[in-house]
Amino acid sequence: MPVPEIEQYFHTVEISTFNVSEDGEKLVFSTNINGKYNLWAMDLPNTFPYPLTAVNQNSSLIHIDGENRTVVATFENDGDENFQLHYLPLSGGKPLPFNEKEQKSTCYHACFTKQLDMYHSSNHENPLLNIYRTDLKSNQTTLIQKGENAPIVVAAVSPDGSAYIFTETYTNTHAAGFYQSAGDKVAVVPDPTVPHVIKDVRFIDNDTVYFVTNYEEEFSYLASFNLSTYEFQPLLKIKNQEMKAIKVHNGCIFICSEQGVRDHLYQYDITSENVDIIDLPCDLITKIELTGDGTLFSLGISAHQIDTIFKREPNGIWTKLTNNKVLGISDDSMIKPEVVRYPSFDGLSIEALLFKPAEDKANGCTILWPHGGPQQAERLKYRPLFQYLVQSGYSIFSPNFRGSTGYGASFQRMVEQNWGNGPRFDCVAGMDWLIEEGHARKGKIVAMGGSYGGYMSLLLGGRHSEYFCAIVDIFGISNLLTFLENVPASWRTLMDQMVGNPEKDRDKLVRDSPMTYVDDMSKPMFVLHGKNDPRVKTEESGRIVGTLKEKGVYVEYLLFDDEGHGFSKKDNEMDAYQRIRSFLDSVIE
């Protein structure tokens, strides 16, 4: 049989989100099954999907009403991340916006009551967001709360619609939760000024809410808040695991947690306090949902398996509802990474993923992949680019430097106001470890990453050029000062703590900007960007490209007119990655 074409790794189906009807008979998901994102559906138990929309836009939220008549979903426009609320019949059709005036704004979250009310947060009239209530029967919208001190997001609504929980986000590592009812605002933890996060809030009834928080702890845990007594109570902690999502049904709570590069799933009995671990069919869980009878559905992915929606049968066996595969390539043929650890410059232990090609294919070049965020992590998820390049002979090394999620609150905070030092030295220590272990050679390394990873690749290329033979920057930041000037308005209150204050911290921001070291950048560079990027404006790429070309440094620049901060269209993604491969091949020849 012929050896698979490398491009086959891109002929994959991604699923960004999903939901299932209360009766478990209708599954709706956002997928690029036809090359562009649309809503598709299944009439379970039949698993052959059919389209609901033809708008060719991604969705971040899907809700099916309790009467199985209407779908509420958000849609962006060519990667601009302005996810606007729409509705359409459950049978499909053209999505209609709830409010035409919100076209250039974003719905950050929405919650629904059985009385057919929708509570949602939007930056339509306020960069700090407002909370609105929309009557889904009449489409009448009422403003119920304005964001004043920080961005506010509705987190959960009581079953009878009489109360809700919302969060105020001060930084990525400090998002306090408050109970709002009859004009009263009550914190759900004893001291909301202590840095912590509140997420995935669930009303059990009109008296109790359950949620995930890391209040006064390194790792997030399960807690409750009594709406009558205002009592906060920690319920379940799992050592060195970060709880991230919960679902509640008949006295049981399903808990999804992350531990470094992997996820775990548990079932917790509220009355007996028993905890059972549930075997997973994949490495990572993107989302979990429950039907009215307690049937569990999950969206999962692994380093060697693409997005798949699973259903957990009564006997505990997981069934694939979307049996998507890489074109002509079995899961066993995928290259799985090694999970490694190495000591950084100050002794801090750093976890990383190391992908190695077959020995007979190895070309001697190693790619350093700093992940985006920076408060995210590189985990065991399928990346077509990784499989594409590793199968082509490249090694890939992705460190979860300080600031990454999944390793505790203190570790995550280490990147705040420290974008250009600690994480950079973690990457340098990682390259030194690779060289010492025989996995890389100095001068035969490529720094490549997107967003913060693009920023770090540029910074490393300017400050440690001796390690590299090339740089690939995918919508990265070249100047922290101009980046701060242009961030979305809803982000601006967060930036002082996350990155730094342009006035107070100007010297540090200049020191940590890649443009400061442009004269030391001499290696070939490939820069990619999306014209509709709302997070990192194209001027960040245009500036570095123009300056390096004036210096005579070889630079390729690829700008997509119909993309934003990432790839939403399969054709563009394949074009970008094929161009990256061609660039890399030319550099190492």
Side-chain angles (χ1 to χ4, degrees), residues 253-271:
I253 301 179
F254 293 90
I255 303 167
C256 184
S257 72
E258 64 179 73
Q259 185 176 27
V261 298
R262 289 184 174 87
D263 283 345
H264 304 280
L265 187 62
Y266 300 91
Q267 183 173 339
Y268 171 72
D269 188 285
I270 297 172
T271 302

Side-chain angles (χ1 to χ4, degrees), residues 466-542:
E466 67 275 13
Y467 284 87
F468 303 105
C469 58
I471 306 293
V472 179
D473 163 30
I474 308 170
F475 38 85
I477 301 158
S478 62
N479 186 321
L480 292 179
L481 290 169
T482 55
F483 165 68
L484 291 173
E485 290 174 3
N486 293 316
V487 295
S490 299
W491 290 20
R492 287 175 187 158
T493 57
L494 316 179
M495 288 295 103
D496 282 9
Q497 177 63 27
M498 170 56 69
V499 186
N501 183 280
E503 297 179 1
K504 297 178 182 178
D505 303 314
R506 183 178 180 84
D507 290 346
K508 180 176 67 174
L509 294 170
V510 170
R511 181 200 70 193
D512 290 345
S513 291
M515 279 300 297
T516 301
Y517 309 96
V518 70
D519 288 340
D520 297 315
M521 297 181 187
S522 58
K523 305 301 168 60
M525 186 178 296
F526 188 22
V527 179
L528 302 90
H529 216 124
K531 191 174 182 180
N532 300 324
D533 193 334
R535 306 187 187 196
V536 180
K537 298 300 182 183
T538 55
E539 68 181 65
E540 297 295 327
S541 290

Side-chain angles (χ1 to χ4, degrees), residues 91-160:
S91 58
K94 181 179 179 181
L96 300 176
F98 281 95
N99 186 346
E100 289 281 3
K101 295 179 181 179
E102 294 185 356
Q103 186 175 5
K104 293 297 182 181
S105 59
T106 299
C107 170
Y108 283 78
H109 190 54
C111 303
F112 301 84
T113 71
K114 292 183 178 180
Q115 290 75 29
L116 297 181
D117 285 329
M118 174 176 67
Y119 288 68
H120 52 105
S121 299
S122 171
N123 60 1
H124 166 48
E125 298 173 311
N126 180 2
L128 296 181
L129 283 66
N130 292 333
I131 297 176
Y132 302 88
R133 181 178 61 245
T134 297
D135 184 328
L136 297 179
K137 299 184 294 292
S138 65
N139 198 18
Q140 295 297 309
T141 297
T142 305
L143 171 65
I144 59 174
Q145 186 177 347
K146 293 182 178 180
E148 296 177 350
N149 302 312
I152 60 173
V153 175
V154 60
V157 181
S158 63
D160 64 2

Side-chain angles (χ1 to χ4, degrees), residues 341-357:
R341 279 192 174 270
Y342 66 91
S344 191
F345 65 99
D346 57 357
L348 186 68
S349 179
I350 303 295
E351 189 171 51
L353 296 180
L354 176 60
F355 292 80
K356 295 192 295 185

